[in-house]
Amino acid sequence: MQALNLACGAFLLAGVLVLWRRDLAAIVWLFALQGLALAAMVVVLGSEQGSLELVLVGLGVGALRAGLLPYLMRRALASSGEARETQPLVNVATSLLTVAVLAMLAYAVAQPLIRLAPSPATQAVPVALTVLLVGFFVLVTRRRALSQVVGFLLMDNAITATAFLTTSGVPLVVELGVSLDVLLAVLVLQVLTIRMRAAFGGTDLDELRELRD
């Protein structure tokens, strides 16, 4: 299962690097890379299990999360006219130290599950849980609307990865339903970003709160 380990490593690395970068275009690119790693993870699981349906689901996941969603986010970024994240609530060094703590927490939480059903797939669950916590951390510490949506999507990727790693896949109709919900959320983001830029001149949430006050 070396291919699964490589896919999980790329999945985790892309999530961690989101905290390191402040360039919004690079953050979108990293999200696309993580979507590709998630798709590879599902395809590898499908190949190991001899499940054509799971392989097709993995290809669909890749098309959506590494292709369509990043494309829509790049369009929203171009419409906003913004290039960089404003000063986050937590600096990069502290963020990376926090990730190390979150990784240890995820590993501790996942141990009962791994002991219950030890396998290469379940042993990768701490990676998915770490990305889930990283996504939440991005959501609460970044100020740009696009960065916060990326945090939400990192959490969604992590939940999807956990489902595939622990249950050997989810029904196709369930994955399609979840993917359509995520696609709708990104489409709404694109519309709101354009409207916020036109009305307020930016998408920094702290500045918008000051306008409200």
Side-chain angles (χ1 to χ4, degrees), residues 101-211:
V101 175
L102 295 177
M104 290 187 290
L105 176 62
Y107 180 81
V109 170
Q111 287 311 299
L113 177 62
I114 295 174
R115 287 195 294 268
L116 182 65
S119 69
T122 56
Q123 288 174 359
V125 168
V127 170
L129 294 181
T130 301
V131 173
L132 176 65
L133 296 175
V134 168
F136 182 76
F137 187 73
V138 171
L139 190 62
V140 300
T141 60
R142 294 301 177 98
R143 311 320 312 149
R144 293 291 183 192
L146 182 63
S147 296
Q148 294 198 345
V149 170
V150 169
F152 166 77
L153 293 175
L154 291 180
M155 294 175 65
D156 182 72
N157 280 350
I159 293 171
T160 302
T162 302
F164 282 110
L165 291 171
T166 56
T167 65
S168 299
V170 295
L172 179 60
V173 65
V174 174
E175 177 59 30
L176 286 175
V178 173
S179 298
L180 288 175
D181 287 342
V182 174
L183 177 59
L184 178 61
V186 174
L187 289 174
V188 171
L189 161 72
Q190 185 176 6
V191 174
L192 288 179
T193 300
I194 295 172
R195 297 294 298 273
M196 290 166 63
R197 177 68 176 175
F200 306 111
T203 61
D204 187 293
L205 299 186
D206 284 341
E207 293 178 0
L208 295 182
R209 290 191 186 98
E210 291 176 4
L211 290 175

Side-chain angles (χ1 to χ4, degrees), residues 19-130:
L19 290 172
W20 179 57
R21 299 304 302 266
R22 291 178 60 185
D23 182 76
L24 294 175
I27 289 174
V28 173
W29 184 87
L30 287 169
F31 171 74
L33 176 62
Q34 188 182 70
L36 188 62
L38 176 61
M41 193 186 308
V42 178
V43 169
V44 169
L45 290 172
S47 300
E48 291 292 330
Q49 299 167 18
S51 172
L52 178 60
E53 180 182 1
L54 194 54
V55 171
L56 293 177
V57 168
L59 295 176
V61 166
L64 176 67
R65 298 172 190 256
L68 182 57
L69 292 182
Y71 168 74
L72 293 174
M73 287 192 287
R74 282 192 292 268
R75 287 190 57 184
L77 181 60
S79 301
S80 71
E82 295 165 345
R84 290 181 65 81
E85 171 66 42
T86 51
Q87 185 65 35
L89 296 181
V90 181
N91 62 37
V92 173
T94 304
S95 296
L96 295 178
L97 288 175
T98 302
V99 169
V101 175
L102 295 177
M104 290 187 290
L105 176 62
Y107 180 81
V109 170
Q111 287 311 299
L113 177 62
I114 295 174
R115 287 195 294 268
L116 182 65
S119 69
T122 56
Q123 288 174 359
V125 168
V127 170
L129 294 181
T130 301

